[in-house]
Every structure is written in structure tokens, then in C-alpha cells.
Amino acid sequence: MSKQEMHLGVILHPYGSHVAAWLSGDAPLGAEIDVDHYTNVAQIAERAALDLIFFADVPAVREGNLQAIRRWPMFAAQFEPVTVLGMLAGKTSKIGLAATASTSYSEPYNLARQFASLDHLSKGRIGWNVVTTSSAAAALNFGSNPRADHQARYSRATEFLTIAKALWDSWDDDAFTRDRETGLFFDAEKLHTLNFSGEHFSVKGPLNIARPPQGHPVIIQAGGSAPGRDLAARTADVVFSAEPEIDAGRAFYKDVKDRAVAYGRDADDVKILVALMPIVGRTRSEADDILADLQERIHPDVGREIMSYDLGGIDLSDVADDDVFPMEKVPTSTQGGQSFLRYFQELIQQEGGATVKELYKYYSIARGSKFAVGSAADVADLMEDWTSSRAADGFMCVFPTFPNGFRRFTELVVPELQRRGLFRKGYQGNTLREHLRLKKPGSVYKKVQAS
């Protein structure tokens, strides 16, 4: 792997990804609905030539212990992310812009049309994080039964993506002639009607917008389960990995790339970005102090609620903070986030005999992401180890706080990566696919015609 192949993205949670971020005073109060705050972070990312900025989403306020949830703003109040992409498309010119949209509570035609429109508005800088929402609260907002079967959600997602990609190919790239002399606006032979009928959807098509500049917006996935990995290998351009240890990262990397090859793709058609929380100081001691300050701000109710939520809603009310975490409380399976469950299972095995408080303090730092605490050189060392050993093509970074936790990374770590020849000093292209060195996909209809 050449040194120039590292890719970097940033997940923007308005205050930061640490559970106590909003208490640090880093971001302005009201950051979750502050257009200037979002714009500032996106422009910091663009000045650093990062590949993309990404917005996660759950279409619901979390349910659970309100005494805890009221102390933790994540997903309680924030912009609908697809709308934010449209705003930032006009505030930036190079940075890729991606957002989560669920296949569980959307229709293929609407989402395909929205993302095609955004790709045109941004001149080819859009990505879609495809998720199969497991949240019971979200299901009830859409009149559905909570927690549909994991396999059923992925079956629906597979069909959804097949439709969306075909809809983006409704028109050939040169279909719109716009010829005033002949009076012909488009070439009818270059229009394709889908007429899809499947188990979950029936969609006629075609899409009433020109083919997106990237052909298809960049498809992102994060499933850690076997069905999630399989869907990613078949359909995704970028896959988020939440493996916290490098050996597991290498195994995940190889598994997804091998699956992609088995589906007739090139291994490099899929970029693996590892979730990483860098906590950076000018020295390792300063970074330790930054983390310690945040850890001290974690309210016990919040720490316990996060563990309970990610483990499928287990009841910890009968266990005190200073009690050893009871192994029998850890579920063996969940219909929710498989990566969170696997991470916690591994964590509790490694930290055998740890108390509830010790576990929630550790778990709350990054909730399954790899985290690195130290100087720019310390963080760059870890990132170089992962990319050079084929555990990652790059990183999807979450930051403890915005904007300062992120700014320290761009001002300290990015120059160190550039000095080592590990990251670009400026954009080499204009589209997100060009930043990620991904090919523009051909039209499904031309493939059919060729066969």
C-alpha cells in the first residue's frame, strides 16, 4: 500500500462524540441548530483537504431512562441530515458531504431523487450512508412494529439499493441534448424505465432528474454482522469498521475485500474506514488532561444508560456503580447494533472483574471506536500502523469535542501525516469519488445491453 492512500473523514455530532462534550463549553450552546457552527466545522475540514464530512442520524428521540437521557443531547435535537447536506453544498466547494438515511423508513424513489439532486447541487460530492434502523422508538414514529428481524431489514435494504442504483441510471449521461435548433430536449432512446416488482417494493420509474455527476452518489455502509458485511461487499463504496484492535481490523478488512472480489468487484472498489477518536494535545500529558477533564464530567446516569441502551436495554438498576459488572447481564445477541455488542463482549472479557463505573467510563469514551490519546506523533503512529498493515484504508474520525477537539487534529495531526507522506496536501480532484479514488460506476442498462 502506497503512503498516499490514507483517507480521512469526520463524523459531526454537534457538540462532539464524547458523552460529556456539551458540558465542556467547546461548542456554542444551541450548536445542534446553529448553521454557522456546522459551516465552520465543514470549512475546517475542507481547509485540511479531508475526504468527507459525515452526519449520523436516528429518526427518533431516544427512549429509556429520562433522568439520564435529559443529560445527553445526542439525537435528542439536531437537524435532519439530508437537509444539512443541501445547505453545506453551497458553503463549501471540495469536501465530500455524506449523511445517514434509513432503508427501513423511506421509499426508494424519494431517496434516490433526493441524493441525485444533492449530487448535482454539490457538483458530485455526495455520499449516502445506508442503514437498516433497529431503533424501537424510530419504528413507532413510522407506524411500524418495533425491531423488525435483522435478516428482514437487510433483505429490504438489498432491494432498496438495487432500485436506487437503477433509478440513478434512468438516463444515460448524455441523454439530455437540449437542442434548441431541433427542439429536442432529450434523446428518448437514452431513457430507461425500471418497472421493478419485488418482495418489498414496486417502482416503475424513471427518475425525473439527470444521472448524478458521480453516476451514483458514494454508497457507505457500517454493518458489522455477516448480512451487513455481505451487503457492503456487494453494494458499498465505503465501509465503516468499528474494530478496536488491529488484528480484528485486519480480519475485517480482508473479509470484506474478499467478499467484494467474490461478487466480481476489485478489492480497491471498497474502501475500509476505521472509526477512530483522536484525543490530541501538543504533548501526551496535555492530551491525557483533556480526556481526564471530559471523563470527570460523565454523569453516572448517562454512563449506565449508554451501556444499557447499546446492550439491547438490559436492566442495570439492581447493580451499584462500585459493584463488579455481572457477566450474566451481557446478552449473547441483539437485533440492534452488532458491532456495539461485540465490542462490549470483548471489553468485559479483557477487563474481567471491572466495576460498573470503570466499564461505563471506559466504554463512554468512544462507544466501540478505536481511540488514540497523545501527541500528533502518537496519533499518527497508530494511524500509520493500521493503514500500512492493511487493517484500514483510512479513518472515519469522531472527535471528543467540536470545534476545538477537531481543530487540534487538523492543526497538529494532519501536518504530521503530510510530513510522513501519508496524506494529501490538497485536493487532486473535485468529486467525492475522486477524493476516494473510486471509479464512476457504469449504467446497469448499458451492462444489460452489452450482454
Side-chain angles (χ1 to χ4, degrees):
M1 178 179 291
S2 68
K3 286 188 172 183
Q4 286 72 37
E5 288 185 319
M6 185 182 291
H7 300 288
L8 294 176
V10 52
I11 299 178
L12 199 165
H13 293 301
Y15 294 96
S17 293
H18 191 281
V19 299
W22 81 280
L23 298 172
S24 73
D26 197 333
L29 287 175
E32 71 277 4
I33 50 171
D34 187 334
V35 171
D36 293 337
H37 174 62
Y38 281 70
T39 301
N40 179 41
V41 172
Q43 291 175 347
I44 291 171
E46 187 165 75
R47 287 194 294 272
L50 269 58
D51 292 76
L52 72 156
I53 187 167
F54 166 72
F55 299 90
D57 187 50
V58 175
V61 174
R62 290 187 185 278
E63 291 187 328
N65 176 9
L66 277 177
Q67 297 297 344
I69 292 169
R70 66 179 181 162
R71 297 180 181 276
W72 185 32
M74 189 173 289
F75 301 128
Q78 65 179 52
F79 287 123
E80 188 283 312
V82 176
T83 308
V84 174
L85 299 193
M87 181 273 291
L88 288 178
K91 301 285 188 178
T92 57
S93 61
K94 293 285 189 179
I95 186 81
L97 304 168
T100 292
S102 174
T103 60
S104 299
Y105 306 116
S106 307
E107 290 295 320
Y109 192 94
N110 278 348
L111 271 191
R113 189 181 185 207
Q114 286 176 298
F115 278 101
S117 298
L118 286 166
D119 209 45
H120 282 286
L121 286 169
S122 66
K123 298 184 172 150
R125 296 186 285 128
I126 296 300
W128 169 23
N129 179 41
V130 180
V131 300
T132 65
T133 305
S134 61
S135 163
L140 294 170
N141 285 339
F142 294 90
S144 303
N145 293 323
R147 297 184 183 276
D149 175 76
H150 190 267
Q151 190 67 45
R153 295 202 313 271
Y154 275 96
S155 171
R156 177 185 168 99
T158 299
E159 199 168 286
F160 196 115
L161 266 173
T162 298
I163 296 167
K165 289 184 174 184
L167 287 172
W168 289 327
D169 292 339
S170 294
W171 303 87
D172 291 349
D173 288 312
D174 58 351
F176 288 92
T177 55
R178 303 180 184 91
D179 189 331
R180 283 176 169 150
E181 290 187 6
T182 63
L184 295 177
F185 192 71
F186 63 84
D187 183 339
E189 294 184 357
K190 297 182 178 182
L191 169 63
H192 309 282
T193 301
L194 177 58
N195 289 319
F196 182 93
S197 180
E199 179 184 355
H200 302 279
F201 301 104
S202 178
V203 180
K204 179 178 181 291
L207 203 62
N208 59 340
I209 187 170
R211 193 168 192 248
Q214 296 184 103
H216 302 162
V218 170
I219 298 296
I220 303 168
Q221 295 211 305
S225 64
R229 294 185 191 200
D230 204 56
L231 181 62
R234 290 172 60 188
T235 64
D237 302 301
V238 173
V239 179
F240 295 162
S241 165
E243 303 298 339
E245 301 302 331
I246 196 165
D247 288 343
R250 290 191 194 101
F252 181 92
Y253 185 98
K254 184 178 186 302
D255 180 53
V256 173
K257 299 264 186 175
D258 286 350
R259 289 175 191 246
V261 170
Y263 281 114
R265 306 177 71 191
D266 293 335
D268 204 40
D269 288 345
V270 183
K271 307 296 184 183
I272 309 295
L273 301 187
V274 170
L276 174 69
M277 179 184 278
I279 302 173
V280 188
R282 288 181 292 273
T283 64
R284 187 174 303 185
S285 177
E286 182 182 45
D288 287 338
D289 289 344
I290 291 168
L291 176 58
D293 178 70
L294 286 166
Q295 292 293 87
E296 283 301 310
R297 297 175 189 271
I298 299 174
H299 194 281
D301 289 350
V302 177
R304 295 166 69 90
E305 179 65 16
I306 289 171
M307 286 201 305
S308 172
Y309 181 88
D310 285 348
L311 294 175
I314 63 170
D315 182 9
L316 295 175
S317 61
D318 59 339
V319 186
D321 274 10
D322 294 329
D323 289 347
V324 173
F325 193 98
M327 293 287 288
E328 64 272 15
K329 293 276 189 180
V330 183
T332 57
S333 64
T334 176
Q335 290 295 338
Q338 303 294 309
S339 295
F340 285 141
L341 174 60
R342 188 171 66 254
Y343 173 75
F344 195 86
Q345 289 170 334
E346 293 170 356
L347 175 63
I348 201 166
Q349 288 172 2
Q350 293 167 7
E351 304 293 329
T355 67
V356 170
K357 183 176 182 179
E358 287 169 338
L359 282 172
Y360 75 61
K361 287 264 188 176
Y362 187 90
Y363 184 73
S364 295
I365 297 173
R367 296 180 64 225
S369 300
K370 181 69 182 173
F371 65 94
V373 184
S375 67
D378 296 328
V379 174
D381 285 345
L382 180 146
M383 297 172 79
E384 184 170 6
D385 285 346
W386 278 67
T387 53
S388 65
S389 64
R390 296 188 179 276
D393 293 312
F395 300 90
M396 200 67 200
C397 297
V398 295
F399 291 92
T401 61
F402 283 106
N404 293 337
F406 177 43
R407 186 180 287 112
R408 282 193 295 272
F409 177 84
T410 63
E411 293 178 352
L412 298 173
V413 178
V414 169
E416 176 65 16
L417 295 172
Q418 292 168 337
R419 185 188 67 77
R420 299 183 188 196
L422 293 166
F423 188 65
R424 66 170 79 90
K425 292 186 177 179
Y427 292 106
Q428 306 301 309
N430 297 307
T431 72
L432 180 52
R433 285 189 178 275
E434 288 171 335
H435 302 340
L436 293 166
R437 288 184 291 282
L438 292 168
K439 299 188 292 281
K440 179 177 179 177
S443 168
V444 64
Y445 296 103
K446 291 198 172 181
K447 292 175 186 175
V448 170
Q449 290 166 0
S451 62

